[in-house]
Amino acid sequence: MKTMAKSKHCIRRFSRLSAAFSLVEVTIAVAIAALGFLTLLGLLPQGINMARNSAEMSVGSKIMLKLSGEMQSMAWNRITWTGYGPLRYFTNEGRELTVANTSQEDLASSLAFVASIYVPQKPLDVYLPAGASGSGNSTAESYLRRVKICIATSADPSFDFNSASPLRITSSYALIAKMGD
């Protein structure tokens, strides 16, 4: 009986000792967890940057579609400028800010994108094949006009597209068709 009581006491003591963690095991677990957290924290700025870039691209494409649609519906004789046209201002959601209806403080706080439409000096710059004869000659197309829609991510209401770096400007081309007369 005495040996049986002694062996139960040893088993109980052994099970109590094996149920705890040693300092070495806790240190290794904390080091592994810290390494995982540092890796995740290192990816955080890259993820935020990617989210910001994709939001800018989304709003930029929304602005491009708006300006392209306006140009398509504009009467041919209203495209009277050459070079960059008037500046257009947009918020970070792609909503247009009109200078007449917006105070200077609201414009300064809400402005995120500046856009302009570039019309080349030579308005008939689109060349199509000269017909089905296959002669290979191209003639200037008098019913199409190419325009370039330029958007800059800038909060400067006096942004200058002529002197700005091309890396700061996103641009897209649109063909405008002459309708009616």
Side-chain angles (χ1 to χ4, degrees), residues 72-139:
Q72 290 290 345
S73 63
M74 185 182 286
W76 184 266
N77 59 0
R78 287 195 50 216
I79 304 174
T80 58
W81 70 92
T82 57
Y84 288 102
L87 296 178
R88 310 269 299 266
Y89 307 111
F90 295 88
T91 65
N92 59 353
E93 293 106 19
R95 192 172 30 106
E96 186 166 8
L97 297 169
T98 56
V99 178
N101 297 336
T102 309
S103 68
Q104 288 295 342
E105 296 98 29
D106 288 342
L107 184 64
S109 66
S110 301
L111 182 61
F113 295 94
V114 179
S116 183
I117 299 172
Y118 179 83
V119 178
Q121 292 285 342
K122 185 176 175 187
L124 306 174
D125 67 338
V126 179
Y127 292 92
L128 297 176
S133 64
S135 63
N137 294 335
S138 296
T139 58

Side-chain angles (χ1 to χ4, degrees), residues 60 63-68 70-71 74 79 81-90 96 111 113-120 146-154 156-164 168-174:
I63 294 170
M64 291 252 189
L65 285 172
K66 175 184 175 39
L67 295 178
S68 175
E70 285 180 9
M71 289 301 293
M74 185 182 286
I79 304 174
W81 70 92
T82 57
Y84 288 102
L87 296 178
R88 310 269 299 266
Y89 307 111
F90 295 88
E96 186 166 8
L111 182 61
F113 295 94
V114 179
S116 183
I117 299 172
Y118 179 83
V119 178
R146 182 191 333 256
V147 296
K148 182 169 75 168
I149 301 168
C150 301
I151 300 173
T153 306
S154 174
D156 181 14
S158 61
F159 185 84
D160 185 15
F161 282 95
N162 291 313
S163 64
R168 294 190 60 198
I169 300 171
T170 304
S171 59
S172 175
Y173 289 93

